[in-house]
Amino acid sequence: MTHAHGLPDRGDLDGWLTWATQQLEPLDLTVDLLHRVAENGQRKRDGTSPLAPAQTPGQDQWSEAVISFREQTGWDKDETGGLSKTWHPSRSFYVVARAGDDSTGLLGRCPTPKTGLRTVLRDLIDEVPRTVPLFEVTGAGRHIPSSSEPPALWLFMFSFRDGVVYSELSRPAERVEDKITKYHQRIPLPPLPYTHADTSVIITPDDDLDAGPDIDVQPI
């Protein structure tokens, strides 16, 4: 995988937090904000009625993550083309939220959305230049997205495993079929310990797939 910045030491959580904070700063985001987004989505999933259809928990989780991200950033929403984008005010990049696979948030892995890319994301990744400068540096030393490049796609992916919420904000570079195979930059966040809400959600293999109709509408 190609990274714009070296990844932190997985055994140094304080150093990991500092590293992630530095990577997110040029994007006007913080670790706390993204942790809240991932946690709010998981809480919403926990609260799904046990009478709901099997795909509802994943849909609820994804929808709450998008809402939470937009509420906390105040950035513009964009629902065109069957994909929920949230645009940075500079219009130089946008964020798409998706549930991630079991490699999400882990160092040295190549995660991909849990339910695949679907047509819209596949097309967007195919349009990504193979080698581009990610940022320009101002005289004050601040990194800003390069104005000469097309708007960048950043994926915010989240995954709950073994009492921990894993998440990352990453910029895909290449794909093979329905999976991402390379990133321009990954920003895995430090793992977030999580306690399930006291609910009685039915957990079944189908439910865990987060699967809905295979159409290019909102991904989950």
Side-chain angles (χ1 to χ4, degrees):
M1 289 178 291
T2 301
H3 302 289
H5 307 273
L7 293 175
D9 179 354
R10 71 186 68 196
D12 180 4
L13 289 180
D14 289 339
W16 190 343
L17 176 61
T18 299
W19 173 87
T21 298
Q22 292 172 343
Q23 306 312 304
L24 292 172
E25 190 270 340
L27 302 173
D28 294 323
L29 294 169
T30 67
V31 173
D32 284 345
L33 185 152
L34 294 179
H35 270 169
R36 284 195 298 270
V37 170
E39 186 174 43
N40 287 345
Q42 187 64 38
R43 296 277 178 216
K44 185 70 172 182
R45 182 186 181 109
D46 287 352
T48 304
S49 168
L51 303 179
Q55 70 269 24
T56 303
Q59 291 174 335
D60 285 353
Q61 179 184 29
W62 165 79
S63 179
E64 184 63 27
V66 174
I67 292 169
S68 179
F69 185 85
R70 289 172 173 175
E71 285 180 340
Q72 294 185 77
T73 61
W75 298 355
D76 290 340
K77 65 183 181 70
D78 178 357
E79 301 295 320
T80 60
L83 186 68
S84 286
K85 302 175 183 178
T86 305
W87 283 88
H88 185 265
S90 68
R91 309 298 287 187
S92 60
F93 71 92
Y94 56 91
V95 176
V96 172
R98 295 290 299 271
D101 66 9
D102 287 350
S103 292
T104 298
L106 299 182
L107 304 177
R109 301 290 186 89
C110 191
T112 203
K114 188 175 183 180
T115 56
L117 295 175
R118 310 284 176 94
T119 302
V120 177
L121 278 178
R122 288 197 297 264
D123 291 346
L124 288 170
I125 293 171
D126 288 345
E127 294 172 1
V128 173
R130 291 295 183 259
T131 55
V132 296
L134 295 183
F135 300 103
E136 295 174 343
V137 182
T138 67
R142 176 178 169 81
H143 292 74
I144 61 172
S146 173
S147 59
S148 63
E149 301 301 332
L153 160 66
W154 288 83
L155 281 180
F156 179 63
M157 293 184 289
F158 42 85
S159 176
F160 174 73
R161 307 185 299 277
D162 301 323
V164 176
V165 173
Y166 296 90
S167 57
E168 65 178 82
L169 185 73
S170 296
R171 186 183 179 193
E174 297 179 17
R175 69 167 181 94
V176 172
E177 296 181 346
D178 221 27
K179 294 184 177 181
I180 298 170
T181 55
K182 183 180 290 187
Y183 286 89
H184 282 304
Q185 184 178 358
R186 286 186 65 211
I187 310 176
L189 305 184
L192 178 67
Y194 175 87
T195 301
H196 269 297
D198 186 14
T199 58
S200 56
V201 177
I202 295 175
I203 302 298
T204 67
D206 287 340
D207 169 47
D208 194 51
L209 289 175
D210 289 353
D214 188 16
I215 55 178
D216 290 320
V217 292
Q218 304 309 326
I220 53 178

